[in-house]
């Protein structure tokens, strides 16, 4: 299972013959001079061994590099002044600490920032790959939404990304690199000058482009670096991974990563979810919810978030709300109701506000937190497609995901 999830899913098909999942068109081709960003301590030690660093020195050198990269945010080896000049020159000959390239930045009136990041292509003929990450500031937190794939594995019918091809999985370094870029641009490293020294980026959500659990190994390795107390140091309780329901890897997420879990549910009946989230044909609702009940570490203090986009006349009836409450019985849960944001060509509409409020009220009275998420960064999200090509606009799912985590509970 690990190998399949690392390289992408097998092309299962729906009853209509359309693929439920896409196979990556490309694979990552490492540069001749790799960045150390995203390597584990063990991998860095091995790299140092390859360039002749003595075994007795490797642990110390790894700790020095780790501190300079992830605590101080050094963007070159030259800046790592506690390392000897000769060692810095040797490191510079073989490695970099490069992050993804920032192609464009947009800043909203409310402080939300969005960066378009360029990644190397495995094929020199192809144009460079691009992904986006978004920072949403609030009074008590700063949330960074991070991508896991170029494109997306899945074909969710209400999601614009579902119309795109899956180009390739991101590496652990490219996932961690998005956080490094955001901290660079926000001046959010240890030596920045602020009255209290508090971090601007306090929360990370794996809710950008892609299905994280179809790139499990890289996502796991990246998030373990993000949560490392001697490095970036973001608590696992402030990291949320969102999945459309890749059941076999949900348990692994709890056991091997230990972060908060979010489920893109969007329907309470299999026949409807088969249409909205075709992956449901492979992992139906009952199987998905059982995986949630079994999720390691789930409790009232570590609730699973269920994302539910409100679609007019599709999934927004009071009967849907009642069945949702019934289905989630026994699961420590909160429910994010997300107003749908239509995109050109979609047949779906957003539910009426009165209907959304009644839906929310029923769920709340049943004992669940059910906030209706309101947009942040509206002025830049509305024009987000201008940053990418016409076939690679920021997806509805990405916008919904940002909204879902943009408000305080």
């Amino acid at each position: 299972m690990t190998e399949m999830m690392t390289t992408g899913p097998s092309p299962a098909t729906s009853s209509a013959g359309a693929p439920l999942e896409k196979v990556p068109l490309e694979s990552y081709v490492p540069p001749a001079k790799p960045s150390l960003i995203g390597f584990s301590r063990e991998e860095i030690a091995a790299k140092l061994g390859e360039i002749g660093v003595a075994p007795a020195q490797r642990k110390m050198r790894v700790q020095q590099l780790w501190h300079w990269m992830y605590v101080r945010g050094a963007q070159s080896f030259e800046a790592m002044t506690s390392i000897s000049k000769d060692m810095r020159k040797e490191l510079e000959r073989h490695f970099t600490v490069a992050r993804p390239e920032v192609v464009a930045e947009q800043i909203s009136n409310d402080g939300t920032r969005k960066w378009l990041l360029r990644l190397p292509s495995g094929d020199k003929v192809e144009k460079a790959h691009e992904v986006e990450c978004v920072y949403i500031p609030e009074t008590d937190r700063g949330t960074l939404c991070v991508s896991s794939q170029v494109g997306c594995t899945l074909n969710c019918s209400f999601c614009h990304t579902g119309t795109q091809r899956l180009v390739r999985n991101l590496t652990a370094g490219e996932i961690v690199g998005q956080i490094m870029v955001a901290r660079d641009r926000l001046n959010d490293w240890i030596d920045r000058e602020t009255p209290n020294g508090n971090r601007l980026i306090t929360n990370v959500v794996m809710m950008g482009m892609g299905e994280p659990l179809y790139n499990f190994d890289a996502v796991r390795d990246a998030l373990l670096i993000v949560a490392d107390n001697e490095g970036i140091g973001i608590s696992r309780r402030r990291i949320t991974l969102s999945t459309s329901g890749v059941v076999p890897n949900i348990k692994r997420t709890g056991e091997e990563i230990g972060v908060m879990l979010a489920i893109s549910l969007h329907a309470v009946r299999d026949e409807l979810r088969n249409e909205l989230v075709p992956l449901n044909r492979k992992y139906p609702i009952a199987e998905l919810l059982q995986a949630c009940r079994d999720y390691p570490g789930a409790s009232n203090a570590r609730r699973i978030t269920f994302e539910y986009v409100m679609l007019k006349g599709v999934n927004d009836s009071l009967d849907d709300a009642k069945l949702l409450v019934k289905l989630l019985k026994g699961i420590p849960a909160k429910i994010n109701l997300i107003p749908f944001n239509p995109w050109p060509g979609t047949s779906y509409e957003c539910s009426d506000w009165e209907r959304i409020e009644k839906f929310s009220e029923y769920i709340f009275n049943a004992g669940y937190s059910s906030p209706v998420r309101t947009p942040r960064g509206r002025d830049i999200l509305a024009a987000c497609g201008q940053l990418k090509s016409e076939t690679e606009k920021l997806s509805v799912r990405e916008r919904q995901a940002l909204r879902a985590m943009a408000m305080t509970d």
Side-chain angles (χ1 to χ4, degrees), residues 52-77:
V53 176
Q57 293 185 22
R58 290 176 200 166
K59 183 175 181 181
M60 176 191 69
R61 295 302 187 195
V62 168
Q63 287 302 101
Q64 288 176 321
L65 288 166
W66 201 266
H67 177 82
W68 279 106
M69 289 190 297
Y70 297 129
V71 177
R72 294 192 174 274
Q75 298 185 41
S76 69
F77 294 112

Side-chain angles (χ1 to χ4, degrees), residues 24-82:
L25 299 176
E26 299 182 25
S27 58
Y28 174 73
V29 178
K33 194 174 177 181
S35 173
L36 294 181
I37 301 297
F39 285 143
S40 67
R41 287 182 174 86
E42 294 74 19
E43 289 169 331
I44 294 175
K47 292 290 184 185
L48 294 179
E50 292 173 6
I51 66 170
V53 176
Q57 293 185 22
R58 290 176 200 166
K59 183 175 181 181
M60 176 191 69
R61 295 302 187 195
V62 168
Q63 287 302 101
Q64 288 176 321
L65 288 166
W66 201 266
H67 177 82
W68 279 106
M69 289 190 297
Y70 297 129
V71 177
R72 294 192 174 274
Q75 298 185 41
S76 69
F77 294 112
E78 185 60 31
M80 302 181 183
T81 52
S82 63

